[in-house]
Amino acid sequence: MIFLMTLIGSILVAALLLEWGNAKKPLLRAFINAIWGILALAVVNLTGMMTGVTLPLSPVVIGVSAFASFPGVITLLLLQLIFGI
């Protein structure tokens, strides 16, 4: 299980580094992606009353959401559904 989570995380980090490396302004792009990730996390938690799906707020969840944006939030949701994390 830890191997699978490490593999998913490694693929996600590699994809983000490739995306940021091709951007004209990588720091601005990273900041905008962080804002979108935090907003996506907020939307998931605000709609949790209707859907029954929420992500607990912890430094790790907030960090992954900020660093990986939408793919990070989706990965966290999938990990929660698959492994019950």
Side-chain angles (χ1 to χ4, degrees):
M1 179 163 87
I2 292 175
F3 174 74
L4 182 61
M5 291 170 45
T6 305
L7 181 66
I8 291 171
S10 299
I11 291 170
L12 184 63
V13 167
L16 287 171
L17 289 176
L18 284 174
E19 178 188 345
W20 291 345
N22 293 333
K24 299 226 188 247
K25 297 181 180 179
L27 291 177
L28 179 63
R29 179 78 172 171
F31 180 73
I32 291 170
N33 282 345
I35 297 297
W36 280 114
I38 298 297
L39 286 174
L41 179 63
V43 167
V44 166
N45 283 334
L46 288 174
T47 59
M49 290 185 289
M50 293 181 285
T51 62
V53 177
T54 60
L55 290 171
L57 293 180
S58 69
V60 173
V61 171
I62 294 171
V64 168
S65 299
F67 180 73
S69 191
F70 288 119
V73 174
I74 292 170
T75 303
L76 288 170
L77 286 170
L78 288 174
L79 287 173
Q80 183 181 19
L81 291 174
I82 293 171
F83 298 115
I85 295 174

